[in-house]
Amino acid sequence: MAVNMYDVAYEVEKAIRESAEFKNLRNMYDEVNADESAKTMFENFRNIQLNLQQKQMMGEDISQEEVEQAQKMVALVQQHATISKLMEAEQRMSMTITELNKIIMAPLEELYGSLENK
Amino acid sequence: MAVNMYDVAYEVEKAIRESAEFKNLRNMYDEVNADESAKTMFENFRNIQLNLQQKQMMGEDISQEEVEQAQKMVALVQQHATISKLMEAEQRMSMTITELNKIIMAPLEELYGSLENK
Ligand SMILES: [Ca+2]
Ligand SMILES: [Ca+2]
């Protein structure tokens, strides 16, 4: 009998939870959250980014002022040691998740890829 | 030492490949591809859907004519036994993938969820 997909998915979940990448990410979040001014700055940054992403998705215009505000915010958080470490941790975790997804989705990629080339 | 995330991800990949859901999906694709008229009808359906999705994402207007054309196409493929079986197989596979993703993404969900509630 084939291995149960859900059983091995739970093993991936556990491996992520115990990985250095995830533990580092959680520690960085805890550090940012423990610092009220860092937390507020990071939340502002996230909200601005989310707002711009939503406008882009909806095909709405983004003003020059909004672009400048976002750029200033990026510069600000990059200079903040704790936040920039959190952002690096997020990026590493995100790259790992992308890799894991590529591996897991290979059967479907192959199926759809083979269709397109016919 | 923690279990390697990539090793267990490959186990999920293998389990998907050997699952009844995936084998059924592949068989249904093969059946549709073996039937030139079914294949053409399915490709037309996919192209119309993709086109509408892209317009929606870009915030472009969708005409009444386009809506009607899409609705006619849906009715057409639903009446086609082989294509409708393929679409059911796709939906089952898609639900399985959604479930697997929920399991695997739980650590990150928890992390981000806990932040939002603070
Ligand atoms: Ca052909
Ligand atoms: Ca608070």
Side-chain angles (χ1 to χ4, degrees), chain B residues 62-117:
Chain B
I62 294 167
S63 70
Q64 184 59 27
E65 203 188 327
E66 283 174 307
V67 174
E68 280 167 22
Q69 185 200 25
Q71 285 169 342
K72 272 184 203 158
M73 203 67 211
V74 171
L76 212 64
V77 295
Q78 279 175 344
Q79 280 164 11
H80 195 294
T82 320
I83 298 179
S84 63
K85 272 187 213 162
L86 169 56
M87 287 167 68
E88 280 166 30
E90 283 191 323
Q91 203 168 359
R92 272 197 297 276
M93 189 77 245
S94 165
M95 288 190 300
T96 301
I97 295 294
T98 300
E99 285 303 309
L100 295 175
N101 268 327
K102 259 191 224 164
I103 292 169
I104 292 168
M105 288 301 137
L108 290 160
E109 272 304 316
E110 286 167 24
L111 191 63
Y112 292 117
S114 74
L115 261 188
E116 279 162 23
N117 297 330

Coordinates of all heavy atoms in Angstrom, one line a residue, chain B residues 62-117:
Chain B
I62 N -15.0 43.1 -17.4 CA -15.4 41.8 -18.1 C -16.8 42.1 -18.7 O -17.7 42.4 -18.0 CB -15.4 40.6 -17.2 CG1 -13.9 40.4 -16.7 CG2 -16.0 39.4 -17.8 CD1 -13.8 39.4 -15.5
S63 N -16.9 42.0 -20.1 CA -18.1 42.3 -20.7 C -19.2 41.2 -20.5 O -18.9 40.0 -20.2 CB -17.9 42.4 -22.2 OG -17.6 41.2 -22.8
Q64 N -20.4 41.6 -20.7 CA -21.6 40.6 -20.5 C -21.4 39.5 -21.5 O -21.6 38.3 -21.2 CB -22.9 41.4 -20.8 CG -24.1 40.6 -20.6 CD -24.2 40.0 -19.2 OE1 -23.7 40.5 -18.3 NE2 -24.9 38.8 -19.1
E65 N -20.8 39.8 -22.7 CA -20.6 38.8 -23.7 C -19.6 37.8 -23.3 O -19.8 36.6 -23.5 CB -20.1 39.5 -25.0 CG -20.3 38.7 -26.3 CD -19.6 39.4 -27.5 OE1 -19.5 40.6 -27.5 OE2 -19.2 38.6 -28.4
E66 N -18.5 38.2 -22.6 CA -17.5 37.3 -22.1 C -18.1 36.4 -21.0 O -17.7 35.2 -21.0 CB -16.3 38.1 -21.6 CG -15.4 38.7 -22.7 CD -14.3 39.6 -22.1 OE1 -14.7 40.5 -21.4 OE2 -13.2 39.4 -22.5
V67 N -18.9 37.0 -20.2 CA -19.5 36.2 -19.1 C -20.4 35.1 -19.7 O -20.3 33.9 -19.3 CB -20.4 37.1 -18.2 CG1 -21.1 36.2 -17.1 CG2 -19.5 38.1 -17.4
E68 N -21.2 35.5 -20.7 CA -22.0 34.5 -21.4 C -21.2 33.4 -22.1 O -21.6 32.2 -22.0 CB -23.0 35.2 -22.3 CG -24.2 35.8 -21.6 CD -25.0 36.8 -22.5 OE1 -24.9 36.7 -23.8 OE2 -25.6 37.7 -22.0
Q69 N -20.2 33.8 -22.8 CA -19.3 32.8 -23.5 C -18.7 31.8 -22.5 O -18.7 30.6 -22.7 CB -18.2 33.6 -24.2 CG -17.3 32.7 -25.0 CD -15.9 33.3 -25.3 OE1 -15.5 34.2 -24.6 NE2 -15.3 32.9 -26.4
A70 N -18.3 32.3 -21.3 CA -17.7 31.5 -20.3 C -18.8 30.5 -19.7 O -18.5 29.3 -19.5 CB -17.1 32.3 -19.1
Q71 N -20.0 31.0 -19.5 CA -21.0 30.2 -19.0 C -21.4 29.1 -19.9 O -21.7 27.9 -19.5 CB -22.3 31.0 -18.6 CG -22.1 31.9 -17.3 CD -23.2 32.9 -17.2 OE1 -23.9 33.2 -18.1 NE2 -23.3 33.4 -15.9
K72 N -21.5 29.4 -21.2 CA -21.8 28.4 -22.3 C -20.7 27.3 -22.2 O -21.0 26.1 -22.4 CB -21.8 29.1 -23.6 CG -23.2 29.6 -24.0 CD -23.2 30.2 -25.4 CE -24.4 31.2 -25.6 NZ -24.1 32.1 -26.7
M73 N -19.5 27.7 -22.1 CA -18.3 26.8 -22.1 C -18.4 25.9 -20.9 O -18.2 24.7 -21.1 CB -17.0 27.6 -22.1 CG -15.8 26.9 -22.7 SD -15.9 26.5 -24.4 CE -15.0 25.0 -24.5
V74 N -18.8 26.4 -19.8 CA -18.9 25.6 -18.6 C -20.0 24.5 -18.8 O -19.8 23.3 -18.5 CB -19.2 26.4 -17.3 CG1 -19.6 25.5 -16.1 CG2 -18.0 27.3 -16.9
A75 N -21.1 25.0 -19.3 CA -22.2 24.0 -19.6 C -21.8 22.9 -20.5 O -22.1 21.7 -20.4 CB -23.4 24.8 -20.1
L76 N -21.0 23.3 -21.5 CA -20.5 22.4 -22.6 C -19.6 21.3 -22.0 O -19.8 20.1 -22.2 CB -19.8 23.2 -23.6 CG -19.9 22.7 -25.1 CD1 -21.3 22.7 -25.6 CD2 -18.9 23.5 -26.0
V77 N -18.6 21.7 -21.2 CA -17.7 20.8 -20.7 C -18.3 19.9 -19.6 O -17.9 18.7 -19.4 CB -16.4 21.4 -20.1 CG1 -15.6 22.1 -21.2 CG2 -16.7 22.4 -19.0
Q78 N -19.3 20.5 -18.9 CA -20.0 19.6 -17.9 C -20.8 18.5 -18.5 O -21.0 17.5 -17.8 CB -20.9 20.5 -17.0 CG -20.1 21.3 -15.9 CD -21.0 22.2 -15.1 OE1 -22.1 22.6 -15.5 NE2 -20.5 22.7 -14.0
Q79 N -21.2 18.7 -19.7 CA -22.0 17.7 -20.4 C -21.1 16.6 -21.0 O -21.5 15.5 -21.4 CB -22.9 18.3 -21.5 CG -24.2 18.9 -20.9 CD -24.8 19.8 -21.9 OE1 -24.5 19.8 -23.1 NE2 -25.8 20.5 -21.4
H80 N -19.8 16.9 -21.1 CA -18.8 16.0 -21.7 C -18.3 15.0 -20.6 O -17.6 15.4 -19.7 CB -17.7 16.8 -22.3 CG -16.9 16.0 -23.3 ND1 -16.1 14.9 -22.9 CD2 -16.7 16.1 -24.6 CE1 -15.5 14.4 -23.9 NE2 -15.8 15.1 -25.0
A81 N -18.7 13.7 -20.8 CA -18.4 12.8 -19.7 C -16.9 12.7 -19.3 O -16.6 12.8 -18.2 CB -18.9 11.4 -20.1
T82 N -16.0 12.6 -20.3 CA -14.6 12.5 -20.0 C -14.0 13.8 -19.4 O -13.3 13.7 -18.4 CB -13.8 12.2 -21.3 OG1 -14.6 11.3 -22.1 CG2 -12.5 11.6 -21.0
I83 N -14.4 14.9 -20.0 CA -13.9 16.2 -19.4 C -14.4 16.4 -18.0 O -13.7 16.8 -17.1 CB -14.2 17.4 -20.3 CG1 -13.6 17.2 -21.7 CG2 -13.8 18.7 -19.7 CD1 -13.9 18.3 -22.7
S84 N -15.7 16.1 -17.8 CA -16.2 16.4 -16.4 C -15.6 15.4 -15.4 O -15.4 15.8 -14.3 CB -17.8 16.3 -16.4 OG -18.2 15.0 -16.8
K85 N -15.2 14.2 -15.8 CA -14.5 13.3 -14.9 C -13.1 13.9 -14.6 O -12.6 13.8 -13.5 CB -14.4 11.9 -15.5 CG -15.5 11.0 -15.2 CD -15.2 9.6 -15.7 CE -16.5 8.9 -16.2 NZ -16.2 7.7 -17.1
L86 N -12.5 14.4 -15.6 CA -11.2 15.1 -15.4 C -11.3 16.2 -14.4 O -10.5 16.4 -13.5 CB -10.6 15.5 -16.8 CG -9.3 16.4 -16.7 CD1 -8.2 15.8 -15.9 CD2 -8.9 16.8 -18.1
M87 N -12.3 17.0 -14.6 CA -12.5 18.2 -13.7 C -12.8 17.7 -12.3 O -12.3 18.4 -11.3 CB -13.6 19.1 -14.3 CG -13.1 19.9 -15.5 SD -14.4 20.7 -16.4 CE -14.9 21.9 -15.2
E88 N -13.5 16.7 -12.1 CA -13.7 16.1 -10.8 C -12.4 15.6 -10.2 O -12.1 15.9 -9.0 CB -14.7 15.0 -10.8 CG -16.2 15.4 -10.9 CD -17.1 14.3 -11.3 OE1 -16.8 13.1 -10.9 OE2 -18.2 14.6 -11.9
A89 N -11.6 15.0 -11.0 CA -10.3 14.5 -10.5 C -9.4 15.6 -10.1 O -8.7 15.6 -9.1 CB -9.7 13.6 -11.6
E90 N -9.5 16.7 -10.9 CA -8.7 17.9 -10.6 C -9.1 18.5 -9.3 O -8.3 18.9 -8.5 CB -8.8 18.9 -11.7 CG -8.0 18.6 -12.9 CD -7.9 19.8 -13.9 OE1 -9.0 20.5 -14.0 OE2 -6.9 20.0 -14.5
Q91 N -10.4 18.5 -9.1 CA -10.9 19.1 -7.8 C -10.6 18.3 -6.6 O -10.2 18.9 -5.6 CB -12.5 19.3 -8.0 CG -13.0 20.4 -7.0 CD -14.5 20.7 -7.3 OE1 -15.1 20.2 -8.3 NE2 -15.0 21.6 -6.6
R92 N -10.6 17.0 -6.7 CA -10.3 16.1 -5.6 C -8.8 16.3 -5.3 O -8.4 16.4 -4.1 CB -10.6 14.7 -5.9 CG -12.0 14.2 -5.6 CD -12.1 12.7 -5.5 NE -11.9 12.1 -6.8 CZ -12.8 11.9 -7.7 NH1 -14.0 12.4 -7.5 NH2 -12.5 11.4 -8.9
M93 N -7.9 16.3 -6.4 CA -6.5 16.5 -6.1 C -6.2 17.9 -5.5 O -5.4 18.0 -4.6 CB -5.8 16.4 -7.5 CG -4.3 16.3 -7.4 SD -3.6 14.7 -6.9 CE -2.9 15.1 -5.3
S94 N -6.9 18.9 -6.0 CA -6.7 20.2 -5.5 C -7.1 20.3 -4.0 O -6.4 21.0 -3.2 CB -7.6 21.2 -6.3 OG -7.7 22.4 -5.7
M95 N -8.2 19.6 -3.6 CA -8.6 19.7 -2.2 C -7.6 19.0 -1.3 O -7.3 19.4 -0.2 CB -10.0 19.0 -2.0 CG -11.1 19.9 -2.6 SD -12.8 19.3 -2.1 CE -12.8 17.6 -2.8
T96 N -7.0 17.9 -1.9 CA -6.0 17.1 -1.1 C -4.7 18.0 -0.9 O -4.2 18.1 0.2 CB -5.6 15.9 -1.9 OG1 -6.7 15.0 -2.0 CG2 -4.5 15.1 -1.2
I97 N -4.3 18.7 -2.0 CA -3.2 19.6 -1.9 C -3.4 20.7 -0.9 O -2.5 21.1 -0.1 CB -2.9 20.2 -3.3 CG1 -2.4 19.1 -4.3 CG2 -1.8 21.3 -3.2 CD1 -1.1 18.4 -4.0
T98 N -4.6 21.3 -0.9 CA -5.0 22.3 0.1 C -4.9 21.8 1.5 O -4.3 22.5 2.4 CB -6.5 22.8 -0.2 OG1 -6.6 23.3 -1.5 CG2 -6.9 23.9 0.8
E99 N -5.3 20.6 1.7 CA -5.2 19.9 3.1 C -3.8 19.7 3.4 O -3.4 20.0 4.6 CB -5.9 18.6 3.1 CG -7.4 18.7 3.1 CD -7.9 19.5 4.3 OE1 -7.5 19.2 5.4 OE2 -8.7 20.4 4.1
L100 N -3.0 19.2 2.5 CA -1.5 19.0 2.8 C -0.8 20.3 3.1 O 0.0 20.4 4.0 CB -0.9 18.3 1.6 CG -1.3 16.9 1.2 CD1 -0.6 16.4 -0.1 CD2 -1.1 15.9 2.3
N101 N -1.2 21.4 2.3 CA -0.6 22.7 2.6 C -0.9 23.2 4.0 O -0.1 23.8 4.7 CB -1.0 23.7 1.5 CG -0.1 23.7 0.4 OD1 1.2 23.6 0.6 ND2 -0.6 23.9 -0.8
K102 N -2.2 23.0 4.4 CA -2.6 23.4 5.7 C -1.8 22.8 6.8 O -1.4 23.4 7.7 CB -4.1 23.1 5.9 CG -5.0 24.2 5.7 CD -6.4 23.9 6.2 CE -7.5 24.3 5.2 NZ -8.8 23.6 5.4
I103 N -1.6 21.5 6.6 CA -0.8 20.7 7.6 C 0.6 21.3 7.7 O 1.1 21.6 8.7 CB -0.8 19.2 7.2 CG1 -2.2 18.6 7.4 CG2 0.3 18.4 8.1 CD1 -2.3 17.2 6.8
I104 N 1.3 21.4 6.5 CA 2.7 21.8 6.4 C 2.9 23.2 6.9 O 3.9 23.5 7.5 CB 3.2 21.5 5.0 CG1 3.2 20.0 4.7 CG2 4.5 22.1 4.7 CD1 3.4 19.6 3.2
M105 N 1.9 24.1 6.6 CA 2.1 25.5 6.9 C 1.6 25.8 8.3 O 1.7 27.0 8.7 CB 1.3 26.3 5.9 CG 1.9 26.4 4.5 SD 3.6 27.0 4.6 CE 4.4 25.9 3.5
A106 N 1.2 24.9 9.1 CA 0.7 25.1 10.4 C 1.7 25.9 11.3 O 1.3 26.9 12.0 CB 0.3 23.9 11.1
P107 N 3.0 25.6 11.3 CA 3.9 26.3 12.2 C 3.9 27.8 11.8 O 3.9 28.7 12.7 CB 5.3 25.7 11.9 CG 5.0 24.3 11.4 CD 3.7 24.5 10.6
L108 N 3.9 28.1 10.5 CA 3.9 29.5 10.1 C 2.6 30.2 10.4 O 2.6 31.4 10.8 CB 4.4 29.6 8.6 CG 5.8 29.3 8.4 CD1 6.1 28.9 7.0 CD2 6.7 30.4 8.9
E109 N 1.5 29.5 10.1 CA 0.2 30.0 10.5 C 0.1 30.4 11.9 O -0.4 31.5 12.3 CB -0.9 29.0 10.2 CG -1.4 29.0 8.8 CD -2.0 30.3 8.4 OE1 -2.7 31.0 9.2 OE2 -1.7 30.7 7.3
E110 N 0.6 29.6 12.8 CA 0.6 29.8 14.2 C 1.4 31.1 14.6 O 1.0 31.9 15.4 CB 1.1 28.6 15.0 CG 0.1 27.5 15.0 CD 0.7 26.2 15.5 OE1 1.8 26.3 16.2 OE2 0.2 25.1 15.2
L111 N 2.6 31.1 14.0 CA 3.5 32.3 14.2 C 2.8 33.6 13.8 O 2.7 34.5 14.6 CB 4.8 32.1 13.5 CG 5.9 33.0 13.8 CD1 6.3 32.9 15.3 CD2 7.1 32.8 12.9
Y112 N 2.3 33.6 12.6 CA 1.7 34.9 12.1 C 0.4 35.2 12.8 O 0.1 36.3 13.2 CB 1.5 34.8 10.6 CG 2.8 34.9 9.9 CD1 3.2 33.8 9.1 CD2 3.7 36.0 10.0 CE1 4.4 33.8 8.4 CE2 4.9 36.0 9.3 CZ 5.3 34.9 8.5 OH 6.4 34.9 7.9
G113 N -0.4 34.1 13.1 CA -1.7 34.3 13.8 C -1.4 34.8 15.2 O -2.1 35.8 15.6
S114 N -0.4 34.4 15.9 CA -0.1 34.8 17.3 C 0.3 36.3 17.3 O -0.1 37.1 18.2 CB 0.9 34.0 17.9 OG 2.2 34.3 17.4
L115 N 1.0 36.7 16.2 CA 1.3 38.1 16.1 C 0.1 39.0 15.9 O 0.0 40.0 16.6 CB 2.2 38.3 14.8 CG 3.7 38.4 14.9 CD1 4.3 38.7 13.6 CD2 4.1 39.4 16.0
E116 N -0.8 38.6 15.0 CA -2.0 39.4 14.7 C -2.8 39.6 16.0 O -3.5 40.7 16.1 CB -2.8 38.8 13.6 CG -2.3 39.1 12.2 CD -2.8 38.1 11.2 OE1 -3.9 37.6 11.4 OE2 -2.1 37.9 10.2
N117 N -2.9 38.6 16.9 CA -3.7 38.7 18.0 C -3.1 39.5 19.2 O -3.7 39.7 20.2 CB -4.1 37.3 18.5 CG -4.9 36.6 17.4 OD1 -5.6 37.3 16.6 ND2 -4.8 35.3 17.3

